[in-house]
Amino acid sequence: MAWLWIGLTVYLAAAGPVRADTIAVQRASLQGDGSGWNLDARFDFELNSSLEDAVNKGVPLYFTTEFDLTRPRWYWFDAQPVSVTQTLRLSFQPLTREYRVSSGGLQQGFSSLAEALAVVKHVTSWHVIDRNQVQPGETYTASVRMQLDTALMPKPFQVDAVNNRDWTLASDWKRFTFTVTERAK
């Protein structure tokens, strides 16, 4: 009986709160600036061995963060004044032995995968709402999530990703209320 109890305890401890195929949204908030509001969010996840191996072999991974702002209406569908996405590309350059995180034309180099993932996991000062998109005094529901976007990967890997659970990495929507007390300062 004692062995059964020890085995169950070890199994539950190994299960941990964050699964290998899940991204957890640790926190998300909106900060005002002169022209609107910026999103700050932290995500928690680990790459499984298949994804880590793919990056180390030069296959880029794309992490897409989505942000939506909605306002309920009793007479029609919810109003959605804001729906934006941001994609970060994580890659490894074998010649320079450097990991790179890029967005658009900007890129940063890192000496380790852990350093590069730290940047991917922390969205900071992402301008998501212009002040003319919201009305003072209104309450909105802000929603944010992140996922590994397999549709942006090279075609041979897209086919494998459809049938392989190792290529599935996504968070649930994190929702929080946002009340516009005044225009962004």
Side-chain angles (χ1 to χ4, degrees):
M1 184 68 168
W3 289 106
L4 179 63
W5 182 256
I6 292 171
L8 180 62
T9 304
V10 169
Y11 173 76
L12 292 175
V18 177
R19 299 186 339 247
D21 61 345
T22 302
I23 298 175
V25 184
Q26 289 183 321
R27 67 176 174 81
S29 63
L30 292 168
Q31 309 300 324
D33 67 9
S35 62
W37 288 266
N38 298 327
L39 176 70
D40 287 329
R42 282 202 183 270
F43 300 92
D44 185 31
F45 63 92
E46 299 299 324
L47 295 182
N48 60 41
S49 59
S50 296
L51 293 174
E52 191 171 330
D53 189 44
V55 168
N56 290 327
K57 289 183 178 176
V59 177
L61 299 180
Y62 297 88
F63 292 90
T64 299
T65 305
E66 299 173 66
F67 177 81
D68 289 338
L69 190 69
T70 58
R71 183 176 48 83
R73 294 189 288 198
W74 65 270
Y75 60 90
W76 197 245
F77 297 110
D78 291 349
Q80 187 174 18
V82 178
S83 182
V84 292
T85 62
Q86 170 183 280
T87 300
L88 296 177
R89 180 180 186 259
L90 172 65
S91 61
F92 179 68
Q93 302 300 318
L95 292 176
T96 59
R97 310 261 329 135
E98 182 179 69
Y99 292 90
R100 292 190 183 155
V101 176
S102 53
S103 176
L106 303 174
Q107 65 180 354
Q108 285 181 282
F110 301 93
S111 59
S112 72
L113 180 58
E115 292 173 353
L117 280 173
V119 171
V120 172
K121 293 176 183 180
H122 187 200
V123 174
T124 182
S125 299
W126 175 28
H127 187 80
V128 292
I129 305 171
D130 290 330
R131 66 178 173 207
N132 63 351
Q133 293 178 300
V134 293
Q135 299 298 318
E138 293 288 335
T139 299
Y140 298 86
T141 300
S143 306
V144 64
R145 75 174 176 176
M146 179 185 274
Q147 66 182 348
L148 175 65
D149 198 342
T150 55
L152 297 174
M153 297 175 66
K155 294 293 181 198
F157 293 96
Q158 288 181 22
V159 172
D160 187 43
V162 169
N163 299 317
N164 191 340
R165 187 177 170 99
D166 287 347
W167 293 90
T168 303
L169 189 60
S171 74
D172 291 331
W173 285 100
K174 166 80 170 182
R175 291 181 171 80
F176 58 97
T177 57
F178 169 62
T179 302
V180 182
T181 54
E182 60 187 57
R183 298 278 185 196
K185 293 182 180 181

